[in-house]
Amino acid sequence: MKRKSLILVALLLVLTASAQTAREEIRENIFRSGSNYYAYPGPTQQKLTPAPKGKKPFYISHYGRHGSRHLISRSDYNNALTPLLRADSLGKLTDLGRDVLSRVQRIYDEGYSRRGELTQRGAEQHRQIAHRMYERFPDVFKGSAPIDAKSTTVIRCILSMENALQELVSLNPKLRIKHDASAHDMWYMNFDDRELSAKRMPEDVKKAYDEFCQRHYNYERVMKLIFNDDNYWRNEVNAQNLNYHLFKLASNMQSLELRHSMTLYDLFNEQEVYDNWLQTNAWWYINYGPCPLNGAEQPFIERNLLRRMIEEADSCLQFDHPGATLRYGHEVCVMPLACLMELDNCAKQVSDLEQLADQGWLNYKIYPMGCNIQMVFYRKNLADKDILVKVLLNENEAKLPLQTDTAPYYKWADVRAYYLQKLNQYGR
């Protein structure tokens, strides 16, 4: 008995040692600290689990975020550039501060009149995702398979869709492709639920988040590197805001071709990088995740999308060769959809924001640039009613909140029933 206990303890120690923390993963790859600016890394799972005997993939239902982009708002650039320009005019920058100003100016110039637009790297990401989808599931795309593709009306999403479709048609010119981007479909492609959105940050939740951020504000050393006058930056500069926007520029650099010649991450040490990431991780968890502090309802903002995916799948499953339904939108859809579907630990509820990262809710694993959810359906033939489905999150096999003897494959009837019951219980 004692020997068995010792073996169990040893196994637990091995498992604990093998599980990396967020701090270790960000140390290993600093770009993960970019949160939603993390450039799509591609799948970590190179070999997928073989399907049960006789089952073949025949249909894919997909929703993906656009690829890497320029920053969206003018303030994303100006909130870093303007205070640095003013300080330079007053002689308040160090030599390093002037160098940082020149780098920020280059980023500003690169993004001028391109706010929110898809970058070259973003286009490449979607061509690569489409290529892997084709190679992994060739039966879905064989012959003159129909491909029904839709995008939100935002140009970076449309161009992401078009790059993916160009790749698919280059692999199989016989594909019958329909593609569209219309306000007609925005009720499920990117639903604006103002009633639910208004519940994201009530006063008590905002207070908890602000207190969390206060504990992780960590910018004094960076300000001392940039400015030659402590009194100036303490009294004339919104230091926290400047730090936030410098880190945002540093994070999004990985989406630009400028990444080959410069960085801003060198401004920040390991602890500062981690503290900046912690604040963003918590913000997304509260605003779009299953945070119990505000009722854990925010993922239901994607209820129309999930119901639509189920209904369209039901329709497509009636055909011998239904092909694929591809949808292109935003991380504010993919992330709550992953939580609503309870993929892996996306639906994990954590009340203490200080425990969020330690509990394994890590935003960079859910919604990097180009993030996507693929539902892949399997059967033997058209007469086979025992349809299986597996779900890929960012092209990695995901665990669903149901029992199965054939993981990661689940009975579609069970998956369908579980999600419809969940949506119906929500009742809106």
Side-chain angles (χ1 to χ4, degrees):
M1 190 70 182
K2 184 177 181 181
R3 177 181 169 82
K4 288 183 179 179
S5 297
L6 289 172
I7 292 173
L8 180 59
V9 169
L11 285 171
L12 289 173
L13 288 173
V14 169
L15 289 172
T16 302
S18 66
Q20 282 188 301
T21 64
R23 184 187 293 274
E24 291 167 338
E25 289 185 339
I26 290 172
R27 181 188 301 136
E28 178 184 81
N29 181 356
I30 195 172
F31 297 117
R32 291 170 175 149
S33 69
S35 299
N36 56 320
Y37 300 114
Y38 181 29
Y40 192 72
T44 57
Q45 182 180 2
Q46 300 305 316
K47 187 175 181 180
L48 299 179
T49 305
K53 187 176 180 179
K55 301 287 188 179
K56 295 180 180 180
F58 71 99
Y59 173 64
I60 293 175
S61 179
H62 153 281
Y63 190 101
R65 182 193 184 190
H66 57 76
S68 284
R69 59 164 169 77
H70 294 275
L71 293 173
I72 290 177
S73 170
R74 184 178 284 110
S75 65
D76 289 335
Y77 300 93
N78 288 343
N79 282 359
L81 183 61
T82 301
L84 293 177
L85 285 171
R86 181 172 182 269
D88 187 44
S89 71
L90 298 173
K92 298 297 183 180
L93 294 182
T94 63
D95 289 345
L96 177 60
R98 287 190 292 274
D99 180 60
V100 170
L101 170 57
S102 70
R103 284 184 263 172
V104 171
Q105 184 70 61
R106 285 183 66 189
I107 298 170
Y108 176 90
D109 293 342
E110 173 80 4
Y112 183 74
S113 293
R114 286 190 172 276
R115 290 189 301 276
E117 291 182 4
L118 194 73
T119 64
Q120 179 179 324
R121 190 172 195 185
E124 291 168 353
Q125 288 160 355
H126 275 284
R127 297 188 79 100
Q128 292 164 1
I129 292 168
H131 193 100
R132 284 190 295 268
M133 189 186 295
Y134 184 95
E135 286 191 331
R136 284 175 153 186
F137 311 109
D139 288 331
V140 173
F141 299 98
K142 67 183 180 182
S144 57
I147 308 298
D148 182 15
K150 286 185 172 61
S151 165
T152 68
T153 55
V154 179
I155 188 62
R156 60 182 174 273
C157 302
I158 296 171
L159 289 175
S160 294
M161 173 178 70
E162 295 304 327
N163 273 278
L165 295 178
Q166 284 181 21
E167 185 66 21
L168 289 175
V169 80
S170 73
L171 294 167
N172 180 4
K174 295 181 180 179
L175 291 172
R176 292 180 289 122
I177 293 176
K178 294 193 303 180
H179 44 134
D180 192 17
S182 172
H184 177 269
D185 299 306
M186 292 295 277
W187 64 272
Y188 71 92
M189 288 291 292
N190 189 9
F191 181 47
D192 181 15
D193 188 338
R194 297 181 182 181
E195 181 180 345
L196 193 54
S197 299
K199 298 178 180 180
R200 287 175 181 162
M201 277 277 191
E203 283 303 314
D204 59 330
V205 178
K206 185 177 185 303
K207 182 174 183 291
Y209 176 66
D210 288 345
E211 290 174 352
F212 173 79
C213 289
Q214 288 285 345
R215 292 192 293 273
H216 294 281
Y217 283 156
N218 189 358
Y219 52 78
E220 183 169 326
R221 190 194 65 85
V222 173
M223 295 301 112
K224 288 178 176 292
L225 289 176
I226 294 173
F227 299 100
N228 59 23
D229 183 340
D230 284 354
N231 287 328
Y232 176 79
W233 71 260
R234 291 186 190 279
N235 297 307
E236 300 296 330
V237 176
N238 184 335
Q240 186 277 323
N241 186 263
L242 174 58
N243 177 82
Y244 171 80
H245 283 92
L246 285 172
F247 191 77
K248 179 179 279 193
L249 292 176
S251 298
N252 197 55
M253 182 79 70
Q254 58 192 290
S255 289
L256 312 178
E257 293 308 294
L258 282 177
R259 71 185 186 276
H260 299 300
S261 60
M262 59 180 280
T263 184
L264 280 174
Y265 268 132
D266 61 326
L267 272 177
F268 307 94
N269 64 30
E270 181 182 311
Q271 186 60 47
E272 291 158 354
V273 167
Y274 189 64
D275 281 329
N276 276 289
W277 171 77
L278 281 174
Q279 296 169 59
T280 303
N281 192 55
W283 187 92
W284 280 92
Y285 182 69
I286 292 170
N287 283 272
Y288 292 94
C291 181
L293 298 177
N294 59 10
E297 288 188 333
Q298 292 306 314
F300 281 96
I301 197 169
E302 295 311 319
R303 61 192 182 276
N304 292 346
L305 175 56
L306 181 55
R307 192 180 292 275
R308 179 75 173 190
M309 292 175 76
I310 293 170
E311 291 173 350
E312 288 188 323
D314 282 344
S315 176
C316 288
L317 301 187
Q318 307 306 311
F319 296 95
D320 182 47
H321 195 192
T325 305
L326 309 177
R327 309 169 187 87
Y328 295 86
H330 308 267
E331 85 270 46
V332 293
C333 302
V334 176
M335 199 275 268
L337 178 62
C339 297
L340 184 60
M341 295 176 70
E342 303 175 51
L343 304 183
D344 295 331
N345 73 335
C346 291
K348 193 174 190 67
Q349 295 192 17
V350 183
S351 297
D352 182 356
L353 296 178
E354 294 290 354
Q355 294 297 315
L356 185 60
D358 292 338
Q359 292 290 320
W361 199 92
L362 312 174
N363 57 14
Y364 54 81
K365 291 191 174 182
I366 307 173
Y367 68 139
M369 295 286 186
C371 61
N372 57 92
I373 294 172
Q374 300 176 29
M375 300 177 69
V376 188
F377 292 80
Y378 290 74
R379 68 186 175 195
K380 295 178 180 179
N381 49 50
L382 184 58
D384 182 8
K385 302 306 179 184
D386 184 26
I387 295 172
L388 302 180
V389 64
K390 75 174 173 184
V391 180
L392 307 182
L393 175 58
N394 298 326
E395 302 179 82
N396 301 307
E397 292 170 345
K399 182 180 180 182
L400 302 188
L402 294 102
Q403 294 295 319
T404 179
D405 296 326
T406 55
Y409 299 89
Y410 297 79
K411 291 183 179 295
W412 170 238
D414 295 343
V415 173
R416 180 184 184 279
Y418 181 85
Y419 287 144
L420 287 178
Q421 181 182 28
K422 184 175 183 176
L423 295 174
N424 292 337
Q425 284 179 341
Y426 183 69
R428 278 188 276 169

